[in-house]
């Protein structure tokens, strides 16, 4: 099965930037798409961005479009989420996830999940 490990979270002031990384290991050849999700306290997990593992297709939630950039480095089996112009409402635990068959926004479409990394934006 695919294993995912996120890193790069932390505390940042509003307007600042962070870059999250998600390294995939084991059976990475089976990955179709990699997504980023987030979950704030008391809220449901929500879609942030997704990228086709082989490249060419990217999708963003409206709330992060123009501020966040998803990218991948297949040689390193790593997906990144560059987050700029951060807002207090971006505060959440961020998760990366791997889908073996589709590129969708629904969390139920993803087969494997990382442990999450905390992002806190202070205003």
């Amino acid at each position: 099965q695919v294993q995912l490990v996120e890193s790069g979270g932390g505390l940042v002031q509003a307007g600042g930037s962070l870059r999250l990384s998600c390294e995939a290991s084991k059976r990475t050849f089976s990955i179709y798409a990699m997504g980023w999700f987030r979950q704030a306290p008391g809220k449901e997990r929500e879609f942030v961005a997704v990228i086709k593992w082989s490249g060419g297709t990217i999708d963003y939630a409206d709330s992060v479009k123009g501020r966040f950039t998803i990218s991948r480095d297949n040689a390193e089996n790593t997906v990144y989420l560059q987050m700029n112009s951060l807002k207090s409402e971006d505060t959440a635990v961020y998760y990366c996830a791997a889908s073996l068959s589709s590129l969708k926004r629904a969390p139920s479409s993803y087969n494997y999940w990382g442990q999450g990394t905390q992002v806190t934006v202070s205003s």
Side-chain angles (χ1 to χ4, degrees), residues 2-123:
V2 176
Q3 294 185 346
L4 305 173
V5 178
E6 302 103 332
S7 61
L11 173 64
V12 63
Q13 288 188 332
S17 298
L18 280 176
R19 189 177 81 157
L20 305 183
S21 300
C22 175
E23 182 177 2
S25 60
K26 299 186 178 181
R27 299 185 64 84
T28 57
F29 61 87
S30 63
I31 297 173
Y32 182 84
M34 291 285 291
W36 284 99
F37 293 78
R38 65 188 182 186
Q39 189 167 18
K43 296 188 176 181
E44 293 189 353
R45 192 166 299 188
E46 66 171 355
F47 167 77
V48 175
V50 62
I51 186 168
K52 190 176 181 182
W53 191 240
S54 61
T57 304
I58 288 174
D59 186 26
Y60 294 101
D62 288 345
S63 59
V64 306
K65 201 171 293 184
R67 299 189 298 122
F68 291 10
T69 302
I70 189 171
S71 62
R72 90 239 185 273
D73 182 337
N74 291 88
E76 298 293 330
N77 290 326
T78 300
V79 172
Y80 302 98
L81 186 68
Q82 177 66 43
M83 306 185 294
N84 299 329
S85 302
L86 283 161
K87 306 175 182 179
S88 57
E89 50 262 45
D90 295 318
T91 295
V93 177
Y94 283 70
Y95 299 88
C96 69
S99 173
L100 304 185
S101 60
S102 63
L103 189 149
K104 295 182 179 179
R105 295 186 172 195
S108 59
S109 299
Y110 292 78
N111 306 92
Y112 300 102
W113 293 82
Q115 82 286 354
T117 185
Q118 176 71 46
V119 172
T120 302
V121 183
S122 62
S123 56

